Amino acid sequence: MSELPIIAVTLGDPVGVGPEITLKTLAEPESLQMARGVAVGDAIVLERLVRHLGLHLEVNPIATVADARFTTGVIDVLNLGVVREDLQWGEVNATVGAAALGAIEVATRLALAGEVDAVVTAPISKEAIRAAGSQHLGQTEMFGELTGSTRYNTMFWVSGLKIFFATRHLSLREAIDRITRENIEYAIREAYTALEVFGTEKPRLAVAALNPHGGEGGRFGDEEVVVIAPAVAAARAAGLDVVGPLPADSVFHQGIQGQFDGVLALYHDQGHIASKTYDLEGTVSVTVGLPILRTSVDHGTEFDIAGTGRASHSAMVAAFKAAATLAPYARKLPSIYPPGR
């Protein structure tokens, strides 16, 4: 037991489904066999939920990771003390936003200090964190700031395939403008490095095309000819096993079938739609480029079912298992992605 990695799991938004899926995940026998989990958030939130749902679990508020018991049926929680009273499920306000932000900050500090091997995050409400004073677009940006990192990105892991993104939170028009040879060359190198970092020997990476049918030799747009193909050629000349651009309507399927270890999507929805259509709850988000290991569910707060006991924790279990699987690589992350790079 003592050799298993320790994983910090943030509760996310206290009035969303985060606390419920965290409780259920940390109580799963399968989870306990893979890692030692400690919740990060407010004990009062979990205690109320245990009573409300009639769960046979004990909530154990702790001040340090060293105080955790890691015992079956006991949920250890690093108690932040931000929430001091019962809150209405699904009701967004500055208090729940501050609680969500506090959990991320504490979990990040623990990972940077080496007290935990990885961080798994539950969903937060962007409206709530804005009410608490945050200007961040989401949790990924917070982890970037807290670790002093500026060159981070998202990697989806679904059914053995790792999906990377050349652009993320941009309008489609702006994303297309960012598809330059320089940016694609950089995205290829970062994706290839991440595949190597997380244990893939001799990675095989495919780059998705932007236009229908891969551009049809320039008939449907020239980005493939002018930008993407030259970037792929440069990567191959540098010794990387990269192919593309390949039509986006088939390259993800080819990856799932095992032809590639990773696929570089060119914009947010190109990769999201592919992975989530194939396996919504099994898609895990891993933030690459940080000096710490962070995985996350890829769904929202689901305020409409918060506190009902109906929330599926399958995605959280997948994120927890991914963190446990990748934890052996976490120690080398600071040297590959040093803070401030």
Side-chain angles (χ1 to χ4, degrees), residues 11 26 75 79 115 152 244 249 261 300 312 325:
L11 298 187
L26 295 182
I75 306 300
N79 188 29
E115 295 185 51
Y152 49 83
D249 61 359
D261 301 299
S312 170
T325 301

Side-chain angles (χ1 to χ4, degrees), residues 50-118:
V50 166
R51 291 194 303 269
H52 181 65
L53 299 181
L55 302 176
H56 299 292
L57 296 171
E58 176 190 345
V59 176
N60 177 38
I62 57 177
T64 69
V65 175
D67 297 327
R69 288 155 56 185
F70 300 123
T71 302
T72 301
V74 176
I75 306 300
D76 299 302
V77 53
L78 279 160
N79 188 29
L80 303 186
V82 176
V83 177
R84 300 185 180 279
E85 59 185 353
D86 286 352
L87 300 170
Q88 184 65 39
W89 294 111
E91 185 176 290
V92 173
N93 56 50
T95 297
V96 297
L101 291 170
I104 294 167
E105 292 169 357
V106 169
T108 302
R109 288 200 299 270
L110 292 172
L112 287 172
E115 295 185 51
V116 299
D117 299 289

Side-chain angles (χ1 to χ4, degrees), residues 200-280:
T200 303
E201 296 184 10
K202 299 180 180 179
R204 301 161 300 163
L205 178 68
V207 180
L210 174 67
N211 295 300
H213 301 181
E216 289 281 15
R219 293 182 62 192
F220 297 158
D222 64 2
E223 286 86 358
E224 285 76 17
V225 175
V226 175
V227 176
I228 306 170
V232 170
R236 292 184 64 84
L240 308 186
D241 186 355
V242 184
V243 298
L246 300 182
D249 61 359
S250 58
V251 68
F252 297 99
H253 172 75
Q254 293 168 344
I256 291 291
Q257 295 302 308
Q259 294 185 40
F260 311 112
D261 301 299
V263 174
L264 176 62
L266 299 186
Y267 57 91
H268 184 281
D269 281 9
Q270 188 180 61
H272 278 243
I273 291 171
S275 62
K276 294 178 183 179
T277 298
Y278 180 77
D279 188 353
L280 177 62

Side-chain angles (χ1 to χ4, degrees), residues 9-12 17-18 21-22 25 119-124 139-140 154-156 272 276 280-287 294-302 312-322:
V9 185
T10 65
L11 298 187
V17 296
I21 62 177
T22 298
T25 297
V119 177
V120 177
T121 55
I124 65 171
Q139 296 192 78
T140 299
T154 295
M155 177 182 81
F156 273 7
H272 278 243
K276 294 178 183 179
L280 177 62
E281 293 192 336
T283 295
V284 176
S285 177
V286 183
T287 306
R294 179 250 177 162
T295 71
S296 178
V297 298
D298 199 58
H299 62 72
T301 52
E302 299 179 346
S312 170
H313 62 297
S314 297
M316 180 62 95
V317 169
F320 189 88
K321 290 171 63 176

